[in-house]
Amino acid sequence: GAVVSQHPSWVICKSGTSVKIECRSLDFQATTMFWYRQFPKQSLMLMATSNEGSKATYEQGVEKDKFLINHASLTLSTLTVTSAHPEDSSFYICSVFTGAGTEAFFGQGTRLTVV
Amino acid sequence: SQQGEEDPQALSIQEGENATMNCSYKTSINNLQWYRQNSGRGLVHLILIRSNEREKHSGRLRVTLDTSKKSSSLLITASRAADTASYFCATAPIAQGAQKLVFGQGTRLTINP
């Protein structure tokens, strides 16, 4: 398996500011990480695929200039929510696969509240 | 795109009873997985069933997969209060390299003591 750690667990920020969320794969070198967003009482929606050393791949409808993803090493991917607005308030979760066709390992999630 | 549908959306049962959740999907898959999420937490993997498997067991969990109907079910036997959580099915579509997961809407399970 893989141990995935997210930081911070929760963050409150003011409208217009930017927030960075880190996702670390502690015991597995992940060339690919996935970022999801989950609104209250809803399912997880894939936002983007983070690729180590190259550009992230964004799902349809996700603004790449608003949700900046950097995957600079095999153990760290970051998601920066730029110019955050209250509608960006959500639960953001990252995940890692250890191989195609296997289970995913998730971070504990980050609760973002924009006020 | 969201492709999984789950029912029921919410289920409340007494401790000791069995809980059954169903999941349907739309495209060809490599595997189907079930996850549990406690409130405000990350997801925990429960069980993975491959497209060539029909049934799988893990402890008190039993999962079935019917690829002809594109559906799966998760049975939790002898439920406990600690089983209270949201349960999601997730499919790994073949067309997306079996690495991207597409999640169902989830079932919120409440076990009453």
Side-chain angles (χ1 to χ4, degrees):
Chain A
V3 179
V4 181
S5 177
Q6 262 182 262
H7 178 81
S9 297
W10 59 271
V11 58
I12 301 173
C13 71
K14 291 184 178 180
S15 271
T17 62
S18 295
V19 174
K20 180 185 286 188
I21 302 169
E22 294 186 346
C23 178
R24 293 183 183 275
S25 177
L26 300 182
D27 56 356
F28 178 76
Q29 293 187 323
T31 56
T32 304
M33 293 185 182
F34 298 88
W35 286 96
Y36 293 85
R37 180 168 56 183
Q38 183 182 32
F39 291 106
K41 296 187 178 180
Q42 293 189 25
S43 187
L44 281 75
M45 295 296 292
L46 180 65
M47 298 175 66
T49 303
S50 172
N51 303 300
E52 188 267 335
S54 64
K55 291 182 179 180
T57 305
Y58 290 82
E59 296 299 303
Q60 191 173 6
V62 178
E63 300 174 58
K64 62 180 181 180
D65 294 329
K66 180 167 185 63
F67 298 100
L68 300 179
I69 291 173
N70 183 277
H71 194 152
S73 77
L74 289 172
T75 58
L76 174 64
S77 173
T78 60
L79 168 67
T80 301
V81 183
T82 63
S83 186
H85 291 285
E87 56 264 32
D88 298 323
S89 297
S90 188
F91 193 59
Y92 293 87
I93 314 176
C94 66
S95 75
V96 166
F97 274 98
T98 56
T102 64
E103 72 249 43
F105 296 90
F106 286 84
Q108 64 268 47
T110 297
R111 171 75 58 195
L112 169 63
T113 303
V114 184
V115 297
Chain B
S1 62
Q2 194 90 8
Q3 72 160 7
E5 298 292 332
E6 290 186 59
D7 76 273
Q9 290 188 2
L11 179 61
S12 181
I13 61 174
Q14 293 300 120
E15 194 167 22
E17 294 180 340
N18 296 341
T20 299
M21 290 159 267
N22 302 295
C23 167
S24 62
Y25 57 93
K26 296 178 182 176
T27 64
S28 296
I29 61 172
N30 175 281
N31 63 73
L32 185 144
Q33 306 177 29
W34 285 89
Y35 290 83
R36 183 183 70 203
Q37 183 181 35
N38 289 89
S39 181
R41 306 293 296 275
L43 274 71
V44 174
H45 178 260
L46 296 176
I47 197 164
L48 180 155
I49 186 166
R50 302 196 185 282
S51 60
N52 61 352
E53 298 176 306
R54 292 297 168 258
E55 187 171 313
K56 205 162 184 179
H57 297 254
S58 177
R60 293 183 297 113
L61 306 180
R62 172 177 168 254
V63 168
T64 63
L65 178 65
D66 187 334
T67 53
S68 66
K69 295 180 179 179
K70 290 186 167 58
S71 66
S72 174
S73 68
L74 170 67
L75 168 67
I76 303 175
T77 61
S79 63
R80 305 168 181 170
D83 294 330
T84 294
S86 290
Y87 291 82
F88 294 92
C89 68
T91 53
I94 292 174
Q96 297 185 44
Q99 284 215 30
K100 284 187 180 181
L101 287 181
V102 178
F103 283 84
Q105 300 288 348
T107 294
R108 292 189 303 279
L109 176 64
T110 302
I111 308 298
N112 302 302

